[in-house]
């Protein structure tokens, strides 16, 4: 009996199986016992858990080594030093979200804002070619034109006060109208080229959906709306706005005469930083808007150079200028330097405008995200270039948030 109790209570030897036959006449102590191993004991489960996590850690290490090697090759191709240890800052950048995750988070926040395609659903189809000519269905350009203006408006706000919502609305409508006018002028210039480029051959003028005279009338309407908004502002802002009209009209021609049309675009697009500041400050011009303007130009050089890599083969065949072709394999290295200039200019603007620490933190994050994107973008993959390009709407919104919190905190 004692032996039976010990065996029945033991978790190591198993359990006693009374169904096992025994020899007749034998005593209870001579019974045979069947030992059943415990396959799911706590110890076994713990060992299995540890092994599974060990495999996961090994996989993570392998992925990290592969990514590091990929970044090493990309860095050396972009004109960097062979000593990759100087570029180990990627470990810090790896703490930031990927471009895809960063875009998805902002998309969820901006889900309530109607997209261009959703807006076109409420318009009669006969007007769709006109809206497509103005790129209303692709509002990323309007965002990139509006956001520097928003920086200037927010930076000029009084301390502990929110920016002027009426001004933000006016500049938002003006950005859509002026961007549409710029796209219309661009397509009127490039109608013959657009017919020969796969990505642009379906545009309204290139495809014949609209005539040049129809496009001219549509352009006049957009410029009229822009002029109405401009002349409702103060004299300083009107002066800067009138000066920008010449730049808007000549930008589409720049890729025919220079290898740096993206620089000309930056000079044109980011004048809104000065206009927004002077409109909100009553015509006062200071160091802060000039620094924001410089940051905006550097920012445009980054995102539009990456964007231009989508068309670099067509541009080369057609003999058009582009920083994507000019920088070539050094694109990532050059864009990293422009990111440094952008960060420095944002810091100067913050110091000049006596911004709160939150401004500098958010500005740093915005520049870090650009570097993060540059470390992962594939310049030979149009989808990757486009993903990086649209990320810059969210970068601009982050800087706008930095300007707002820098004044109210």
């Amino acid at each position: 009996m004692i032996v039976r109790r010990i065996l029945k209570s033991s978790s190591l030897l198993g359990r006693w199986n009374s169904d096992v036959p025994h020899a007749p006449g034998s005593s209870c102590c001579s019974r045979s016992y069947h030992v059943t191993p415990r396959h799911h004991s706590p110890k076994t489960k713990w060992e299995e858990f540890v092994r599974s996590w060990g495999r996961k850690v090994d996989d993570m290490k392998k992925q990290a080594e592969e990514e590091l090697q990929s970044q090493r090759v990309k860095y050396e191709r972009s004109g960097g030093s062979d000593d990759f240890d100087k570029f180990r800052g990627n470990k810090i950048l790896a703490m930031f979200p990927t471009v895809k995750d960063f875009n998805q988070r902002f998309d969820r926040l901006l889900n309530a804002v109607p997209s261009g395609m959703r807006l076109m659903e409420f318009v009669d189809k006969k007007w769709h070619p006109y809206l497509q000519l103005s790129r209303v269905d692709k509002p990323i350009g309007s965002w990139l034109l509006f956001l520097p203006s928003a920086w200037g408006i927010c930076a000029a706000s009084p301390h502990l006060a929110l920016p002027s919502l009426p001004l933000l609305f006016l500049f938002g409508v003006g950005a859509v109208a002026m961007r549409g006018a710029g796209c219309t002028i661009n397509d009127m210039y490039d109608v013959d080229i657009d017919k020969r480029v796969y990505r642009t051959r379906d545009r309204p003028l290139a495809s014949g959906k609209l005539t040049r005279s129809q496009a001219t009338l549509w352009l006049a309407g957009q410029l009229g709306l822009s002029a109405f908004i401009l002349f409702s502002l103060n004299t300083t802002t009107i002066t800067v706005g009138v000066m920008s009209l010449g730049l808007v009209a000549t930008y589409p021609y720049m890729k025919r005469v220079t290898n740096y049309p993206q620089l000309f675009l930056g000079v044109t697009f980011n004048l809104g930083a000065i206009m927004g500041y002077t409109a909100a400050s009553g015509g006062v011009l200071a160091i802060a808007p000039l620094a924001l303007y410089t940051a905006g130009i550097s920012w445009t050089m980054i995102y539009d150079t990456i964007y231009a890599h989508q068309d670099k083969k067509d541009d080369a065949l057609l003999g058009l200028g582009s920083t994507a072709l000019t920088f070539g394999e050094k694109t990532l290295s050059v864009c990293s330097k422009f990111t440094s200039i952008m960060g420095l200019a944002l810091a100067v603007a913050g110091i000049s405008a006596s911004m709160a620490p939150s401004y500098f933190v958010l500005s740093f994050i915005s520049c870090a995200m650009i570097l993060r994107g540059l470390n992962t973008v594939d310049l030979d993959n149009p989808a990757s270039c486009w993903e990086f390009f649209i990320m810059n709407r969210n970068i601009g919104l982050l800087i706008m948030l930095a300007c707002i919190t820098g004044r109210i905190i």
Side-chain angles (χ1 to χ4, degrees), residues 176-255:
V176 173
M178 281 304 299
R179 189 259 182 149
C183 291
T184 303
I185 295 172
N186 182 78
D187 285 9
M188 292 173 71
Y189 270 122
D190 293 346
V191 61
D192 293 329
I193 293 175
D194 287 345
K195 292 177 181 179
R196 299 158 61 186
V197 178
Y198 177 78
R199 190 177 62 85
T200 60
R201 64 187 182 186
D202 290 330
R203 288 177 176 175
L205 285 174
S207 62
K209 295 177 184 177
L210 292 178
T211 64
R212 185 175 290 271
S213 59
Q214 289 174 317
T216 303
L217 290 173
W218 181 246
L219 173 62
Q222 294 173 102
L223 291 176
L225 176 59
S226 302
F228 177 79
I229 294 173
L230 178 62
F231 286 102
S232 68
L233 305 173
N234 59 55
T235 304
T236 305
T237 308
I238 292 173
T239 303
V240 178
V242 171
M243 290 171 56
S244 71
L245 292 178
L247 298 174
V248 172
T250 55
Y251 161 69
Y253 191 70
M254 287 298 108
K255 53 190 167 185

Side-chain angles (χ1 to χ4, degrees), residues 6-56:
I6 293 174
L7 290 173
K8 290 180 70 175
S9 62
S10 173
S11 62
L12 297 176
L13 297 178
R15 62 181 177 83
W16 173 49
N17 189 348
S18 59
D19 295 331
V20 177
H22 55 277
S26 63
S27 66
C28 65
C29 294
S30 65
R31 288 177 182 266
S32 64
Y33 296 92
H34 176 67
V35 177
T36 304
R38 290 184 178 269
H39 296 290
H40 300 289
S41 65
K43 183 177 180 180
T44 304
K45 288 182 178 180
W46 172 253
E47 290 174 349
E48 184 178 349
F49 174 78
V50 171
R51 283 196 297 270
S52 66
W53 268 103
R55 289 192 294 268
K56 290 181 179 179

Side-chain angles (χ1 to χ4, degrees), residues 153 167 171 233-234 237 274-283:
I153 293 171
L167 268 181
F171 273 83
L233 305 173
N234 59 55
T237 308
I274 298 176
M275 294 175 64
Y277 191 95
T278 56
S281 65

Side-chain angles (χ1 to χ4, degrees), residues 193-341:
I193 293 175
D194 287 345
K195 292 177 181 179
R196 299 158 61 186
V197 178
Y198 177 78
R199 190 177 62 85
T200 60
R201 64 187 182 186
D202 290 330
R203 288 177 176 175
L205 285 174
S207 62
K209 295 177 184 177
L210 292 178
T211 64
R212 185 175 290 271
S213 59
Q214 289 174 317
T216 303
L217 290 173
W218 181 246
L219 173 62
Q222 294 173 102
L223 291 176
L225 176 59
S226 302
F228 177 79
I229 294 173
L230 178 62
F231 286 102
S232 68
L233 305 173
N234 59 55
T235 304
T236 305
T237 308
I238 292 173
T239 303
V240 178
V242 171
M243 290 171 56
S244 71
L245 292 178
L247 298 174
V248 172
T250 55
Y251 161 69
Y253 191 70
M254 287 298 108
K255 53 190 167 185
R256 294 174 171 83
V257 298
T258 177
N259 291 327
Y260 298 91
Q262 282 72 23
L263 177 60
F264 197 84
L265 177 67
V267 172
T268 306
F269 246 47
N270 294 281
L271 278 171
I274 298 176
M275 294 175 64
Y277 191 95
T278 56
S281 65
V284 176
L285 192 58
I287 295 176
L290 298 177
L292 289 174
Y293 181 50
T294 303
I297 294 174
S298 301
W299 181 45
T300 303
M301 286 293 295
I302 299 164
Y303 68 67
D304 209 51
T305 296
I306 301 300
Y307 178 84
H309 272 272
Q310 297 178 101
D311 299 327
K312 57 187 176 184
K313 293 181 179 179
D314 291 323
D315 289 343
L317 290 173
L318 297 171
L320 301 177
S322 166
T323 49
L325 296 174
T326 303
F327 298 153
E329 293 184 351
K330 295 184 178 181
T331 291
L332 299 177
S333 177
V334 174
C335 286
S336 297
K337 291 179 174 62
F338 275 114
T339 307
S340 299
I341 297 172

Side-chain angles (χ1 to χ4, degrees), residues 3 38 69 72 84 88 111 113 116 143 213 215 247 254 260 312 320 323 329 338 362 366 369 382 393:
V3 172
R38 290 184 178 269
Q69 180 62 25
R72 182 196 302 272
F84 189 68
R88 301 291 284 190
N111 192 41
V113 179
W143 277 108
S213 59
L247 298 174
M254 287 298 108
Y260 298 91
K312 57 187 176 184
L320 301 177
T323 49
E329 293 184 351
F338 275 114
L362 292 174
S366 66
M369 275 307 307
R393 177 203 63 178

